[in-house]
Amino acid sequence: MTHALITGGAGFIGSHLSEYLLKQGQTVTIIDNLSTGSFENIAHLQSNPNFHYVIEDIRNAQVVDRLMSTCDIVYHMAAMVGVHKIISEPINTIEVNIGGTEVILQTARRYRRKVMLASTSEVYGKGIKVPFEEDDDRVVGATTRNRWAYATSKAVDEFLALAYYTEAELPVVIFRLFNTVGPRQSGQYGMVVPRFVKWALNDDPVNVYGTGNQTRCFGNVFDVIQAIVKLSDTPEAVGQVFNIGSNEEVSIHQLAQRIIQRANSDSEINFIPYDEAYEAGFEDFQRRVPGIAKIKDVIGWSPSTGLDET
Ligand code: UDP
C-alpha cells in the first residue's frame, strides 16, 4: 500500500488530493503550517485510520526527515499563494517557497523518494504567447515589483528539482497549475472566483480589477487532482514539466457577469484600478491559457468540467 506525504495537505488543492488518495486506499500523511490552509479542510478526514496530520512548517528539516522516512512519495503542494498575500508578505513568499522546497528535495534525496512538485503558471510571467507551452521563455518584470518574486521563487523551485533529477537522479515531476477552482477555495488571499461568488451571494458590489478584459482559464479542482495522480503513476513523466489547467478562456468582466447571473444576484460591478487593488505599478497578465497538448500526449488527460458546472 502506498504511503503519500502531502505538504500543504490542509490547503485547498492539497486537501482534495488527500481525500482522493485515501479513497484509493492509500495512507496519507500531511504536513501543513495552516498559513493559508485550514483545519476545517481536513477535519472530516480525521476519523480515517489511514490519515495522519502534522501541523508544522516544511522548513523544519527534522520533522520532514521523520515523515519522509516512512512515506513512498511526496506531493509538494506547500507554498505561499494568493496574489494579495504574496504582495503583502514578500519575505515569507521567497523564504517559504525556496527554503521549503530545498528541505523537501534534500530529504527526498536522502530517502530516494519520488517528488511531485507543484509549480504555477506564474513562472511564464508576462509573456504574451497563447497558449503557454512548457518550454516557452519566461518574461518577468523588475525586482521592485513583488509579484515577480513569487514567479521567480517558483522558477527557482523548478530549477532545483530539475537539478536534483539530472545530478542526483532523483525522480521528480513538475506540474504547473493554472487557475484552479472548486469547493473549499478561500477568497481571503486573492483568488477571484470565491471572492466574486461571496460578493454575489451577499448582493455586494463585485470588484473587478483593471478593465476586466484580462482573461483566465479556470480548471476544476477534481479534474486537476486526476491529472496530478495520473502523472505520479507514469514513469515517462519523470524529469519533465507539465501544464495542468482548463483551456476555456473567460474575461474577468464576463466571469463577474456569469457569477452574478448564476447567483441570481443584484450585485453591481465596480472597476478598481490595479494600483489601488494591489500596489503601485502592479502588473497583470492580459491572457493566460495553458497549452495542454503535452499532458494529453503523455497521460491522455484533458479537462472534462466546464466553468458553468464548476
Ligand atoms: N481579480 C479581480 N477582483 C478580485 C480578485 C482578482 O478582478 O477581487 C482579477 C485579478 O486582477 C486577475 C484575475 O482576477 O486579473 C485573476 O486573479 P487571481 O488572483 O484569482 O489569480 P491570478 O490569475 O492573477 O493569479
Side-chain angles (χ1 to χ4, degrees), residues 195-196 198-208 252-253 255-257 259-261 264-272:
R195 289 164 80 83
F196 283 8
K198 191 172 173 193
W199 288 326
L201 290 175
N202 291 332
D203 291 328
D204 287 337
V206 170
N207 295 324
V208 169
I252 299 303
H253 187 190
L255 177 74
Q257 289 169 324
I259 289 176
I260 289 169
Q261 192 195 10
N264 272 328
S265 167
D266 293 325
S267 291
E268 288 183 353
I269 295 177
N270 262 346
F271 290 90
I272 299 188

Side-chain angles (χ1 to χ4, degrees), residues 82-84 86 120-122 147 150 178-181 185 187 189-196 199 206-218 251-253 255-256 270-272 274 277-278 282-286 288:
V83 180
H84 277 289
I86 62 175
T120 165
S121 55
E122 288 269 335
R147 179 171 208 157
Y150 173 64
F178 282 64
N179 297 68
T180 302
V181 290
Q185 187 174 37
Y189 310 106
M191 282 72 172
V192 68
V193 171
R195 289 164 80 83
F196 283 8
W199 288 326
V206 170
N207 295 324
V208 169
Y209 300 158
T211 61
N213 293 331
Q214 71 272 29
T215 69
R216 295 293 187 272
C217 300
F218 296 93
S251 80
I252 299 303
H253 187 190
L255 177 74
N270 262 346
F271 290 90
I272 299 188
Y274 286 119
Y278 297 111
F282 180 83
E283 295 172 292
D284 198 12
F285 321 103
Q286 272 316 293
R288 187 146 85 179

Side-chain angles (χ1 to χ4, degrees), residues 95-267:
E95 291 188 350
V96 170
N97 288 358
I98 298 179
T101 300
E102 229 173 357
V103 170
I104 297 301
L105 290 168
Q106 283 166 357
T107 317
R109 180 188 197 176
R110 196 171 309 134
Y111 294 102
R112 309 300 310 165
R113 303 299 189 231
K114 187 177 206 172
V115 178
M116 301 295 299
L117 178 86
S119 184
T120 165
S121 55
E122 288 269 335
V123 299
Y124 292 107
K126 51 185 172 177
I128 52 168
K129 201 167 156 274
V130 177
F132 287 124
E133 307 288 353
E134 286 82 352
D135 285 332
D136 283 344
D137 288 343
R138 298 164 42 240
V139 185
V140 293
T143 53
T144 46
R145 309 265 187 269
N146 284 334
R147 179 171 208 157
W148 306 121
Y150 173 64
T152 303
S153 69
K154 292 304 292 186
V156 169
D157 286 355
E158 291 196 16
F159 277 125
L160 195 59
L162 291 170
Y164 272 89
Y165 169 68
T166 51
E167 199 182 324
E169 293 176 10
L170 185 72
V172 300
V173 180
I174 296 168
F175 49 97
R176 293 186 184 142
L177 298 175
F178 282 64
N179 297 68
T180 302
V181 290
R184 296 186 203 140
Q185 187 174 37
S186 163
Q188 207 182 333
Y189 310 106
M191 282 72 172
V192 68
V193 171
R195 289 164 80 83
F196 283 8
V197 169
K198 191 172 173 193
W199 288 326
L201 290 175
N202 291 332
D203 291 328
D204 287 337
V206 170
N207 295 324
V208 169
Y209 300 158
T211 61
N213 293 331
Q214 71 272 29
T215 69
R216 295 293 187 272
C217 300
F218 296 93
N220 183 292
V221 70
F222 299 108
D223 286 347
V224 167
I225 296 299
Q226 297 213 358
I228 297 170
V229 174
K230 211 157 180 204
L231 280 175
S232 74
D233 285 340
T234 307
E236 200 189 331
V238 169
Q240 297 203 56
V241 180
F242 296 89
N243 290 334
I244 301 181
S246 153
N247 49 7
E248 180 185 341
E249 200 177 0
V250 62
S251 80
I252 299 303
H253 187 190
Q254 287 164 346
L255 177 74
Q257 289 169 324
R258 273 161 79 170
I259 289 176
I260 289 169
Q261 192 195 10
R262 294 184 76 86
N264 272 328
S265 167
D266 293 325
S267 291

